[in-house]
Coordinates of all heavy atoms in Angstrom, one line a residue:
M273 N 0.8 -1.2 0.0 CA 0.0 0.0 0.0 C 0.9 1.2 0.0 O 1.9 1.3 0.7 CB -0.9 0.0 1.2 CG -1.8 1.2 1.3 SD -2.7 1.5 2.8 CE -3.8 0.1 2.8
Y274 N 0.5 2.2 -0.8 CA 1.2 3.5 -0.9 C 0.3 4.6 -0.6 O -0.9 4.6 -1.0 CB 1.8 3.6 -2.3 CG 2.9 2.6 -2.6 CD1 2.5 1.5 -3.4 CD2 4.2 2.7 -2.2 CE1 3.4 0.5 -3.7 CE2 5.1 1.8 -2.5 CZ 4.7 0.7 -3.3 OH 5.7 -0.3 -3.6
Q275 N 0.8 5.6 0.0 CA 0.0 6.8 0.3 C 0.9 8.0 0.0 O 2.1 8.0 0.3 CB -0.4 6.9 1.7 CG -1.1 8.1 2.1 CD -1.5 8.2 3.6 OE1 -1.7 7.1 4.2 NE2 -1.6 9.3 4.1
F276 N 0.4 9.1 -0.6 CA 1.1 10.3 -0.8 C 0.2 11.5 -0.7 O -1.0 11.4 -1.0 CB 1.9 10.2 -2.1 CG 1.1 10.1 -3.4 CD1 0.7 11.2 -4.0 CD2 0.7 8.8 -3.8 CE1 -0.1 11.1 -5.2 CE2 -0.1 8.7 -5.0 CZ -0.5 9.8 -5.7
D277 N 0.8 12.6 -0.4 CA 0.1 13.9 -0.3 C 0.5 14.7 -1.5 O 1.7 14.8 -1.9 CB 0.5 14.6 1.0 CG 0.0 13.8 2.2 OD1 -1.0 13.1 2.1 OD2 0.7 14.0 3.3
V278 N -0.5 15.4 -2.0 CA -0.2 16.4 -3.1 C -0.7 17.7 -2.5 O -1.9 17.9 -2.3 CB -1.0 16.0 -4.4 CG1 -0.8 17.1 -5.4 CG2 -0.6 14.6 -4.8
K279 N 0.2 18.6 -2.3 CA -0.1 19.9 -1.7 C -0.6 20.9 -2.7 O -1.1 21.9 -2.3 CB 1.1 20.4 -1.0 CG 1.6 19.4 0.1 CD 2.3 20.1 1.2 CE 2.9 19.1 2.2 NZ 2.0 18.6 3.1
S280 N -0.5 20.7 -3.9 CA -0.9 21.7 -4.9 C -2.0 21.2 -5.8 O -2.1 21.6 -7.0 CB 0.3 22.1 -5.8 OG 0.8 21.0 -6.5
T281 N -2.9 20.4 -5.3 CA -3.9 19.8 -6.1 C -4.8 20.8 -6.8 O -5.0 20.7 -8.0 CB -4.8 18.8 -5.3 OG1 -5.3 19.6 -4.2 CG2 -4.1 17.6 -4.8
F282 N -5.3 21.8 -6.1 CA -6.2 22.7 -6.6 C -5.5 23.7 -7.6 O -6.2 24.4 -8.4 CB -6.9 23.5 -5.6 CG -7.9 22.7 -4.8 CD1 -8.5 23.2 -3.6 CD2 -8.3 21.4 -5.2 CE1 -9.4 22.4 -2.9 CE2 -9.2 20.7 -4.5 CZ -9.8 21.2 -3.4
L283 N -4.2 23.7 -7.6 CA -3.5 24.6 -8.6 C -3.4 23.9 -10.0 O -2.9 24.6 -10.9 CB -2.1 24.9 -8.1 CG -2.1 25.6 -6.7 CD1 -0.6 25.8 -6.3 CD2 -2.8 26.9 -6.7
N284 N -3.8 22.7 -10.1 CA -3.6 22.0 -11.4 C -4.9 21.8 -12.1 O -4.9 21.3 -13.2 CB -3.1 20.6 -11.1 CG -1.6 20.6 -10.6 OD1 -0.8 21.3 -11.3 ND2 -1.4 20.0 -9.5
G285 N -6.0 22.3 -11.6 CA -7.3 22.2 -12.3 C -7.4 23.3 -13.4 O -7.0 24.4 -13.3
D286 N -8.1 22.9 -14.5 CA -8.3 23.8 -15.6 C -9.7 24.4 -15.5 O -10.7 23.6 -15.2 CB -8.2 23.0 -17.0 CG -6.9 22.5 -17.2 OD1 -5.9 23.2 -16.9 OD2 -6.8 21.3 -17.7
L287 N -9.8 25.7 -15.6 CA -11.1 26.3 -15.5 C -12.0 26.2 -16.8 O -11.4 26.3 -17.9 CB -10.9 27.8 -15.2 CG -10.3 28.1 -13.8 CD1 -10.0 29.6 -13.7 CD2 -11.2 27.7 -12.7
E288 N -13.2 25.9 -16.6 CA -14.1 25.8 -17.7 C -14.8 27.1 -18.1 O -15.3 27.3 -19.2 CB -15.2 24.8 -17.4 CG -14.7 23.4 -17.2 CD -15.8 22.4 -16.8 OE1 -17.0 22.8 -16.9 OE2 -15.5 21.3 -16.5
E289 N -14.7 28.1 -17.2 CA -15.3 29.4 -17.5 C -14.3 30.5 -17.2 O -13.2 30.2 -16.7 CB -16.5 29.6 -16.6 CG -16.2 29.6 -15.1 CD -16.3 28.1 -14.5 OE1 -17.2 27.4 -14.8 OE2 -15.3 27.8 -13.8
E290 N -14.6 31.7 -17.7 CA -13.7 32.8 -17.5 C -13.8 33.3 -16.0 O -15.0 33.6 -15.6 CB -13.9 33.9 -18.5 CG -13.6 33.6 -19.9 CD -13.7 34.7 -20.8 OE1 -14.1 35.9 -20.4 OE2 -13.5 34.5 -22.0
V291 N -12.7 33.5 -15.3 CA -12.7 34.0 -14.0 C -11.8 35.1 -13.9 O -10.6 35.0 -14.3 CB -12.3 32.9 -13.0 CG1 -12.3 33.4 -11.5 CG2 -13.3 31.7 -13.0
Y292 N -12.2 36.2 -13.3 CA -11.4 37.4 -13.2 C -11.3 37.8 -11.7 O -12.2 37.6 -10.9 CB -12.0 38.6 -13.9 CG -12.1 38.4 -15.4 CD1 -13.2 37.8 -16.0 CD2 -11.0 38.8 -16.2 CE1 -13.3 37.6 -17.4 CE2 -11.1 38.6 -17.6 CZ -12.2 38.0 -18.1 OH -12.3 37.8 -19.5
I293 N -10.1 38.3 -11.3 CA -9.9 38.7 -9.9 C -9.3 40.1 -9.9 O -8.6 40.5 -10.9 CB -9.0 37.7 -9.1 CG1 -7.6 37.7 -9.7 CG2 -9.6 36.3 -9.0 CD1 -6.6 36.9 -8.9
S294 N -9.5 40.8 -8.8 CA -8.9 42.1 -8.7 C -7.4 41.9 -8.4 O -7.0 40.8 -8.0 CB -9.5 42.9 -7.6 OG -9.5 42.2 -6.3
Q295 N -6.6 42.9 -8.6 CA -5.2 42.8 -8.4 C -4.8 42.6 -6.9 O -5.3 43.4 -6.1 CB -4.5 44.0 -9.0 CG -4.6 44.2 -10.4 CD -3.9 45.4 -11.0 OE1 -2.7 45.6 -10.7 NE2 -4.6 46.2 -11.7
P296 N -4.1 41.5 -6.6 CA -3.8 41.3 -5.2 C -2.8 42.4 -4.7 O -2.0 42.9 -5.5 CB -3.1 40.0 -5.2 CG -3.1 39.4 -6.6 CD -3.6 40.5 -7.5
Q297 N -2.9 42.6 -3.4 CA -1.9 43.6 -2.8 C -0.5 43.2 -3.0 O -0.2 42.0 -2.9 CB -2.2 43.7 -1.3 CG -3.5 44.4 -0.9 CD -3.6 44.6 0.6 OE1 -3.0 44.0 1.3 NE2 -4.6 45.5 0.9
G298 N 0.3 44.1 -3.4 CA 1.7 43.8 -3.7 C 2.0 43.5 -5.1 O 3.1 43.5 -5.6
F299 N 0.9 43.3 -5.9 CA 1.0 43.0 -7.3 C 0.2 44.0 -8.2 O -0.1 43.7 -9.3 CB 0.6 41.6 -7.6 CG 1.5 40.6 -7.0 CD1 1.1 40.0 -5.8 CD2 2.6 40.1 -7.6 CE1 1.9 39.1 -5.1 CE2 3.4 39.2 -7.0 CZ 3.1 38.7 -5.8
V300 N -0.1 45.1 -7.6 CA -0.9 46.1 -8.3 C 0.1 46.8 -9.3 O 1.2 47.2 -9.0 CB -1.5 47.2 -7.4 CG1 -2.2 48.3 -8.1 CG2 -2.4 46.5 -6.4
I301 N -0.4 46.9 -10.6 CA 0.4 47.6 -11.6 C 0.1 49.1 -11.6 O -1.0 49.5 -11.7 CB 0.0 47.0 -13.0 CG1 0.3 45.5 -13.0 CG2 0.8 47.7 -14.1 CD1 -0.3 44.8 -14.2
N302 N 1.2 49.8 -11.4 CA 1.1 51.3 -11.3 C 0.5 51.8 -12.6 O 0.9 51.4 -13.7 CB 2.4 51.9 -11.0 CG 2.9 51.7 -9.6 OD1 2.1 51.5 -8.7 ND2 4.2 51.6 -9.4
G303 N -0.5 52.7 -12.5 CA -1.1 53.3 -13.7 C -2.3 52.4 -14.1 O -3.1 52.9 -15.0
N304 N -2.5 51.2 -13.7 CA -3.6 50.3 -14.0 C -4.2 49.7 -12.8 O -4.6 48.5 -12.8 CB -3.1 49.2 -15.0 CG -2.6 49.7 -16.3 OD1 -3.3 50.5 -16.9 ND2 -1.4 49.2 -16.7
E305 N -4.4 50.5 -11.8 CA -4.9 50.1 -10.5 C -6.3 49.5 -10.6 O -6.7 48.7 -9.8 CB -4.9 51.2 -9.4 CG -3.5 51.6 -9.0 CD -2.8 52.6 -9.9 OE1 -3.5 53.0 -11.0 OE2 -1.7 53.0 -9.7
N306 N -7.1 49.9 -11.6 CA -8.5 49.5 -11.7 C -8.7 48.3 -12.6 O -9.8 47.8 -12.8 CB -9.4 50.7 -12.2 CG -9.4 51.8 -11.2 OD1 -9.4 51.6 -10.0 ND2 -9.5 53.0 -11.7
K307 N -7.6 47.8 -13.1 CA -7.7 46.6 -14.0 C -7.8 45.3 -13.2 O -7.5 45.3 -12.0 CB -6.5 46.6 -15.0 CG -6.5 47.8 -15.9 CD -6.0 47.4 -17.2 CE -6.1 48.6 -18.1 NZ -5.7 48.4 -19.4
V308 N -8.3 44.2 -13.8 CA -8.4 42.9 -13.2 C -7.5 41.9 -13.9 O -7.1 42.2 -15.0 CB -9.9 42.5 -13.2 CG1 -10.7 43.4 -12.3 CG2 -10.4 42.4 -14.6
H309 N -7.3 40.8 -13.3 CA -6.5 39.7 -13.9 C -7.5 38.5 -14.3 O -8.4 38.2 -13.5 CB -5.5 39.2 -12.9 CG -4.4 40.1 -12.6 ND1 -3.4 40.4 -13.4 CD2 -4.2 40.9 -11.4 CE1 -2.6 41.3 -12.9 NE2 -3.1 41.6 -11.6
K310 N -7.2 38.0 -15.4 CA -8.0 36.8 -15.9 C -7.1 35.6 -15.4 O -6.0 35.4 -15.8 CB -8.2 36.8 -17.4 CG -8.9 35.5 -17.9 CD -9.1 35.6 -19.4 CE -9.7 34.3 -19.9 NZ -9.8 34.3 -21.4
L311 N -7.8 34.6 -14.7 CA -7.1 33.4 -14.3 C -7.0 32.4 -15.4 O -8.0 32.2 -16.1 CB -7.8 32.8 -13.1 CG -7.9 33.6 -11.8 CD1 -8.6 32.9 -10.7 CD2 -6.5 33.9 -11.3
R312 N -5.9 31.7 -15.5 CA -5.7 30.7 -16.5 C -5.9 29.3 -15.8 O -6.3 28.3 -16.5 CB -4.3 30.7 -17.1 CG -4.1 31.9 -17.9 CD -2.7 31.8 -18.6 NE -2.3 33.2 -19.0 CZ -1.1 33.5 -19.2 NH1 -0.1 32.6 -19.1 NH2 -0.8 34.7 -19.5
K313 N -5.6 29.2 -14.5 CA -5.7 28.0 -13.8 C -6.5 28.3 -12.5 O -6.6 29.4 -12.0 CB -4.4 27.4 -13.4 CG -3.5 27.0 -14.6 CD -4.0 25.6 -14.9 CE -3.0 24.9 -15.9 NZ -3.3 23.6 -16.2
A314 N -7.0 27.2 -11.9 CA -7.7 27.3 -10.6 C -6.7 27.6 -9.5 O -5.5 27.3 -9.7 CB -8.5 26.1 -10.3
H315 N -7.1 28.1 -8.3 CA -6.2 28.2 -7.2 C -7.1 28.0 -5.9 O -8.3 28.1 -5.9 CB -5.5 29.6 -7.2 CG -6.4 30.7 -7.0 ND1 -6.7 31.2 -5.7 CD2 -7.0 31.6 -7.8 CE1 -7.5 32.2 -5.8 NE2 -7.7 32.5 -7.1
H316 N -6.3 27.8 -4.8 CA -7.0 27.6 -3.5 C -7.9 28.8 -3.2 O -7.6 30.0 -3.5 CB -6.0 27.5 -2.4 CG -5.2 26.2 -2.5 ND1 -5.7 25.0 -2.1 CD2 -4.0 26.0 -3.0 CE1 -4.8 24.1 -2.3 NE2 -3.7 24.7 -2.9
G317 N -9.1 28.6 -2.7 CA -10.0 29.6 -2.3 C -11.0 29.9 -3.4 O -12.0 30.6 -3.2
L318 N -10.8 29.4 -4.6 CA -11.7 29.6 -5.7 C -12.8 28.6 -5.6 O -12.5 27.4 -5.5 CB -10.9 29.6 -7.0 CG -11.7 30.0 -8.3 CD1 -12.0 31.4 -8.3 CD2 -10.8 29.7 -9.5
K319 N -14.0 29.0 -5.8 CA -15.2 28.0 -5.7 C -15.1 26.9 -6.7 O -15.5 25.8 -6.4 CB -16.5 28.8 -5.8 CG -16.9 29.6 -4.7 CD -18.2 30.3 -4.9 CE -18.5 31.3 -3.8 NZ -19.8 31.9 -4.1
Q320 N -14.5 27.2 -7.9 CA -14.5 26.2 -8.9 C -13.3 25.3 -8.8 O -13.2 24.3 -9.5 CB -14.4 27.0 -10.3 CG -15.6 27.8 -10.7 CD -15.5 29.2 -10.2 OE1 -14.8 29.5 -9.3 NE2 -16.1 30.1 -10.9
A321 N -12.4 25.5 -7.9 CA -11.1 24.8 -7.8 C -11.3 23.3 -7.5 O -10.8 22.4 -8.2 CB -10.2 25.4 -6.8
P322 N -12.2 22.9 -6.6 CA -12.3 21.4 -6.4 C -12.9 20.7 -7.6 O -12.5 19.6 -8.0 CB -13.3 21.3 -5.2 CG -13.2 22.7 -4.5 CD -12.9 23.6 -5.5
R323 N -13.9 21.3 -8.2 CA -14.6 20.7 -9.4 C -13.6 20.6 -10.5 O -13.5 19.6 -11.2 CB -15.8 21.5 -9.8 CG -16.5 20.9 -11.0 CD -17.8 21.6 -11.3 NE -17.8 23.0 -11.1 CZ -17.5 23.9 -12.1 NH1 -17.2 23.5 -13.3 NH2 -17.6 25.2 -11.8
A324 N -12.8 21.6 -10.7 CA -11.8 21.6 -11.8 C -10.8 20.6 -11.6 O -10.4 19.8 -12.6 CB -11.1 23.0 -11.9
W325 N -10.3 20.4 -10.4 CA -9.3 19.4 -10.1 C -9.9 18.0 -10.2 O -9.2 17.1 -10.8 CB -8.6 19.6 -8.7 CG -7.6 18.6 -8.5 CD1 -6.3 18.6 -9.0 CD2 -7.7 17.4 -7.8 NE1 -5.6 17.5 -8.6 CE2 -6.4 16.7 -7.8 CE3 -8.7 16.8 -7.0 CZ2 -6.2 15.5 -7.2 CZ3 -8.5 15.6 -6.4 CH2 -7.2 15.0 -6.5
C326 N -11.0 17.8 -9.7 CA -11.7 16.5 -9.8 C -11.9 16.1 -11.2 O -11.8 14.9 -11.6 CB -13.0 16.5 -9.0 SG -12.7 16.4 -7.2
S327 N -12.3 17.0 -12.1 CA -12.5 16.7 -13.5 C -11.2 16.3 -14.1 O -11.2 15.3 -14.9 CB -13.1 17.9 -14.2 OG -14.4 18.2 -13.7
K328 N -10.1 16.9 -13.8 CA -8.8 16.6 -14.4 C -8.3 15.3 -13.9 O -7.8 14.5 -14.7 CB -7.8 17.7 -14.1 CG -6.5 17.6 -14.8 CD -5.7 18.9 -14.7 CE -4.6 18.8 -15.7 NZ -3.9 20.1 -15.8
I329 N -8.4 15.0 -12.6 CA -7.9 13.7 -12.1 C -8.8 12.6 -12.6 O -8.3 11.5 -12.9 CB -7.7 13.7 -10.6 CG1 -6.9 12.5 -10.1 CG2 -9.1 13.6 -9.9 CD1 -5.4 12.7 -10.4
D330 N -10.1 12.8 -12.7 CA -11.0 11.8 -13.3 C -10.6 11.4 -14.7 O -10.6 10.2 -15.0 CB -12.4 12.3 -13.2 CG -13.4 11.2 -13.6 OD1 -13.5 10.2 -12.9 OD2 -14.1 11.4 -14.6
L331 N -10.3 12.4 -15.5 CA -9.9 12.1 -16.9 C -8.6 11.4 -16.9 O -8.4 10.4 -17.7 CB -9.8 13.4 -17.7 CG -9.4 13.3 -19.1 CD1 -10.4 12.5 -19.9 CD2 -9.2 14.7 -19.7
F332 N -7.6 11.7 -16.0 CA -6.3 11.1 -16.0 C -6.5 9.6 -15.6 O -5.9 8.7 -16.2 CB -5.4 11.8 -15.0 CG -4.1 11.0 -14.7 CD1 -3.1 11.1 -15.7 CD2 -4.0 10.3 -13.6 CE1 -1.9 10.4 -15.4 CE2 -2.8 9.6 -13.3 CZ -1.8 9.6 -14.3
F333 N -7.3 9.3 -14.5 CA -7.5 7.9 -14.1 C -8.2 7.1 -15.2 O -7.9 6.0 -15.5 CB -8.3 7.9 -12.8 CG -7.5 8.2 -11.6 CD1 -8.1 8.6 -10.4 CD2 -6.1 8.0 -11.6 CE1 -7.4 8.8 -9.3 CE2 -5.4 8.2 -10.4 CZ -6.0 8.6 -9.3
H334 N -9.2 7.8 -15.9 CA -9.9 7.1 -17.0 C -8.9 6.7 -18.1 O -8.9 5.6 -18.7 CB -11.0 8.0 -17.5 CG -11.8 7.3 -18.6 ND1 -12.6 6.3 -18.5 CD2 -11.8 7.6 -20.0 CE1 -13.1 5.9 -19.6 NE2 -12.6 6.7 -20.6
D335 N -8.0 7.7 -18.5 CA -7.0 7.4 -19.5 C -6.0 6.3 -19.1 O -5.4 5.6 -19.9 CB -6.2 8.7 -19.8 CG -7.0 9.7 -20.6 OD1 -8.1 9.3 -21.1 OD2 -6.6 10.9 -20.6
C336 N -5.8 6.1 -17.8 CA -4.9 5.0 -17.3 C -5.6 3.7 -17.1 O -5.0 2.7 -16.7 CB -4.3 5.4 -15.9 SG -3.2 6.8 -16.0
G337 N -6.9 3.6 -17.5 CA -7.7 2.4 -17.4 C -8.4 2.1 -16.2 O -8.9 1.0 -16.0
L338 N -8.5 3.1 -15.2 CA -9.2 2.9 -14.0 C -10.7 3.2 -14.2 O -11.0 4.1 -15.0 CB -8.6 3.7 -12.9 CG -7.3 3.2 -12.3 CD1 -6.1 3.8 -13.0 CD2 -7.2 3.5 -10.8
T339 N -11.5 2.6 -13.5 CA -13.0 2.9 -13.6 C -13.4 3.4 -12.2 O -13.0 3.0 -11.2 CB -13.8 1.7 -14.0 OG1 -13.6 0.6 -13.0 CG2 -13.5 1.2 -15.4
K340 N -14.3 4.4 -12.2 CA -14.9 4.9 -11.0 C -15.9 4.0 -10.4 O -16.7 3.4 -11.1 CB -15.5 6.3 -11.3 CG -15.9 7.1 -10.1 CD -16.7 8.3 -10.4 CE -15.7 9.4 -10.9 NZ -16.4 10.7 -10.9
S341 N -15.9 3.9 -9.1 CA -16.9 3.0 -8.4 C -18.2 3.7 -8.5 O -18.4 4.9 -8.5 CB -16.5 2.9 -6.9 OG -17.5 2.4 -6.2
D342 N -19.2 2.8 -8.7 CA -20.6 3.3 -8.7 C -21.1 3.8 -7.4 O -22.0 4.6 -7.3 CB -21.6 2.2 -9.2 CG -21.3 1.8 -10.7 OD1 -20.8 2.7 -11.4 OD2 -21.6 0.6 -11.0
D343 N -20.5 3.2 -6.3 CA -21.0 3.5 -4.9 C -20.2 4.6 -4.3 O -20.8 5.3 -3.4 CB -20.9 2.3 -4.1 CG -21.7 1.1 -4.6 OD1 -22.8 1.4 -5.1 OD2 -21.2 0.0 -4.6
E344 N -18.9 4.8 -4.6 CA -18.1 5.9 -4.0 C -17.4 6.7 -5.1 O -16.5 6.1 -5.8 CB -17.1 5.2 -3.1 CG -16.1 6.2 -2.4 CD -16.8 7.2 -1.6 OE1 -17.7 6.9 -0.8 OE2 -16.4 8.4 -1.8
P345 N -17.7 8.0 -5.3 CA -17.2 8.7 -6.4 C -15.7 9.0 -6.3 O -15.1 9.4 -7.2 CB -18.0 10.0 -6.3 CG -18.6 10.1 -4.9 CD -18.7 8.7 -4.5
T346 N -15.1 8.8 -5.1 CA -13.6 9.0 -5.0 C -12.8 7.7 -5.0 O -11.6 7.8 -4.8 CB -13.3 9.8 -3.7 OG1 -13.7 9.0 -2.6 CG2 -14.0 11.1 -3.7
L347 N -13.4 6.6 -5.4 CA -12.8 5.3 -5.4 C -12.6 4.9 -6.9 O -13.6 4.9 -7.6 CB -13.6 4.3 -4.6 CG -13.0 2.9 -4.5 CD1 -11.7 2.9 -3.7 CD2 -14.0 2.0 -3.9
Y348 N -11.4 4.5 -7.3 CA -11.2 4.1 -8.6 C -10.5 2.7 -8.6 O -9.7 2.4 -7.7 CB -10.2 5.1 -9.3 CG -10.8 6.4 -9.6 CD1 -10.8 7.4 -8.6 CD2 -11.4 6.7 -10.8 CE1 -11.4 8.6 -8.8 CE2 -11.9 7.9 -11.1 CZ -11.9 8.9 -10.1 OH -12.5 10.1 -10.3
L349 N -10.9 1.9 -9.5 CA -10.5 0.5 -9.6 C -9.9 0.1 -10.9 O -10.4 0.6 -12.0 CB -11.6 -0.5 -9.2 CG -12.4 -0.2 -7.9 CD1 -13.7 -1.0 -7.9 CD2 -11.5 -0.6 -6.8
K350 N -8.9 -0.8 -10.9 CA -8.4 -1.3 -12.2 C -8.1 -2.8 -11.9 O -7.3 -3.1 -11.0 CB -7.1 -0.6 -12.6 CG -6.6 -1.1 -13.9 CD -5.4 -0.3 -14.4 CE -4.9 -0.8 -15.8 NZ -3.8 0.1 -16.2
K351 N -8.6 -3.7 -12.7 CA -8.4 -5.1 -12.6 C -7.6 -5.6 -13.8 O -7.9 -5.2 -14.9 CB -9.8 -5.8 -12.5 CG -10.6 -5.5 -11.3 CD -11.9 -6.2 -11.2 CE -12.7 -5.8 -10.0 NZ -14.0 -6.4 -9.9
Q352 N -6.7 -6.5 -13.5 CA -5.9 -7.1 -14.5 C -5.9 -8.6 -14.2 O -5.3 -9.1 -13.2 CB -4.5 -6.6 -14.5 CG -4.3 -5.2 -15.0 CD -2.9 -4.7 -15.0 OE1 -2.1 -5.2 -14.3 NE2 -2.6 -3.7 -15.8
G353 N -6.6 -9.4 -15.0 CA -6.7 -10.8 -14.8 C -7.6 -11.1 -13.6 O -8.5 -10.3 -13.2
N354 N -7.4 -12.2 -13.0 CA -8.3 -12.6 -11.8 C -7.7 -12.3 -10.5 O -8.4 -12.2 -9.5 CB -8.5 -14.1 -11.9 CG -9.4 -14.6 -13.0 OD1 -10.2 -13.8 -13.5 ND2 -9.2 -15.8 -13.5
E355 N -6.4 -12.0 -10.4 CA -5.7 -11.8 -9.1 C -5.2 -10.4 -8.9 O -5.1 -9.9 -7.8 CB -4.6 -12.8 -8.9 CG -5.2 -14.2 -8.9 CD -4.0 -15.2 -8.7 OE1 -3.0 -14.8 -8.3 OE2 -4.3 -16.4 -8.9
E356 N -4.8 -9.7 -9.9 CA -4.1 -8.4 -9.7 C -5.2 -7.3 -9.9 O -6.0 -7.3 -10.8 CB -3.0 -8.2 -10.8 CG -1.9 -9.1 -10.6 CD -0.8 -8.9 -11.6 OE1 -0.8 -7.8 -12.2 OE2 0.1 -9.7 -11.8
F357 N -5.1 -6.3 -9.0 CA -6.0 -5.2 -9.1 C -5.3 -4.0 -8.4 O -4.4 -4.1 -7.6 CB -7.3 -5.5 -8.4 CG -7.3 -5.7 -7.0 CD1 -7.5 -4.7 -6.1 CD2 -7.1 -7.0 -6.5 CE1 -7.5 -4.9 -4.7 CE2 -7.0 -7.2 -5.1 CZ -7.2 -6.2 -4.2
L358 N -5.8 -2.8 -8.8 CA -5.3 -1.6 -8.2 C -6.5 -0.8 -7.7 O -7.5 -0.7 -8.3 CB -4.6 -0.7 -9.3 CG -4.2 0.7 -9.0 CD1 -3.1 0.7 -8.0 CD2 -3.8 1.4 -10.2
V359 N -6.3 -0.3 -6.5 CA -7.4 0.5 -5.9 C -6.8 1.9 -5.6 O -5.7 2.0 -5.0 CB -7.9 -0.1 -4.6 CG1 -8.9 0.8 -3.9 CG2 -8.5 -1.5 -4.8
A360 N -7.4 2.9 -6.1 CA -7.0 4.3 -5.8 C -8.2 5.1 -5.1 O -9.3 5.1 -5.7 CB -6.6 5.0 -7.1
C361 N -7.9 5.6 -4.0 CA -8.9 6.4 -3.3 C -8.4 7.8 -3.0 O -7.3 8.0 -2.5 CB -9.2 5.7 -1.9 SG -10.6 6.5 -1.1
L362 N -9.2 8.7 -3.4 CA -8.9 10.1 -3.2 C -9.5 10.7 -1.9 O -10.6 10.4 -1.6 CB -9.4 11.0 -4.4 CG -8.9 10.6 -5.7 CD1 -9.5 11.4 -6.8 CD2 -7.4 10.7 -5.8
Y363 N -8.7 11.4 -1.2 CA -9.2 12.1 0.0 C -8.6 13.5 0.0 O -7.4 13.7 0.0 CB -8.7 11.4 1.3 CG -9.1 12.0 2.5 CD1 -10.4 11.9 3.0 CD2 -8.2 12.8 3.3 CE1 -10.8 12.6 4.2 CE2 -8.6 13.4 4.4 CZ -9.9 13.3 4.9 OH -10.3 13.9 6.0
I364 N -9.5 14.5 -0.1 CA -9.1 15.9 -0.2 C -9.4 16.5 1.2 O -10.5 16.5 1.7 CB -9.9 16.6 -1.3 CG1 -9.6 16.0 -2.6 CG2 -9.5 18.1 -1.3 CD1 -10.5 16.5 -3.7
M365 N -8.3 17.0 1.8 CA -8.4 17.7 3.1 C -8.1 19.2 2.8 O -7.1 19.6 2.3 CB -7.3 17.2 4.0 CG -7.5 17.4 5.4 SD -6.5 16.3 6.3 CE -5.7 17.5 7.3
I366 N -9.1 20.0 3.2 CA -9.0 21.4 3.0 C -8.6 22.1 4.3 O -9.0 21.8 5.3 CB -10.3 22.0 2.5 CG1 -10.7 21.3 1.2 CG2 -10.3 23.5 2.3 CD1 -12.0 21.6 0.6

C-alpha cells in the first residue's frame, strides 16, 4: 500500500469558465490600479477549484484504465486478470 500527499492539487485544475480577480496587494500595476486579472488555472479559495481538479484527475484515471466506483465517487479500480488489481482512493483535506 502506498500513500502520498499532493499539496498543490487545486492549482492543477483547468477552469471551464472565465474567472477574473482584482489585483492582489503587492502586485498592483502602477497606472492600471482598476484593471483585473484573468485566471488561467484554478487556485485555492476559488469556488471552482475542487470541481476543476476532480474533473482533471478523473480524466487522468480514466486514461490510465481505471474505472470509478458506482458507490463511491472518490474510489477508482483497475483489474488485470483474476488476481491483480489496483485501488486508488482520493481524500481531499482542505
Side-chain angles (χ1 to χ4, degrees):
M273 179 188 298
Y274 297 96
Q275 175 182 335
F276 61 93
D277 295 331
V278 180
K279 301 207 183 281
S280 60
T281 54
F282 289 168
L283 302 177
N284 292 308
D286 297 318
L287 294 172
E288 296 177 8
E289 58 276 312
E290 291 185 3
V291 177
Y292 296 90
I293 61 169
S294 58
Q295 296 181 50
Q297 288 182 345
F299 294 94
V300 176
I301 301 170
N302 291 330
N304 293 314
E305 292 84 0
N306 295 327
K307 296 215 174 180
V308 295
H309 294 284
K310 178 180 178 183
L311 295 179
R312 294 187 201 159
K313 293 278 193 176
H315 69 84
H316 293 280
L318 190 64
K319 289 180 185 180
Q320 294 91 335
R323 180 174 37 92
W325 183 78
C326 286
S327 295
K328 189 165 190 170
I329 196 71
D330 186 62
L331 183 61
F332 173 77
F333 281 159
H334 180 71
D335 289 345
C336 290
L338 284 92
T339 57
K340 187 186 286 192
S341 168
D342 293 332
D343 300 319
E344 176 58 47
T346 61
L347 182 67
Y348 293 83
L349 306 166
K350 182 175 183 179
K351 296 180 184 178
Q352 292 180 334
N354 292 331
E355 296 181 15
E356 294 183 16
F357 65 94
L358 171 68
V359 177
C361 185
L362 302 175
Y363 178 76
I364 300 172
M365 200 164 125
I366 298 174

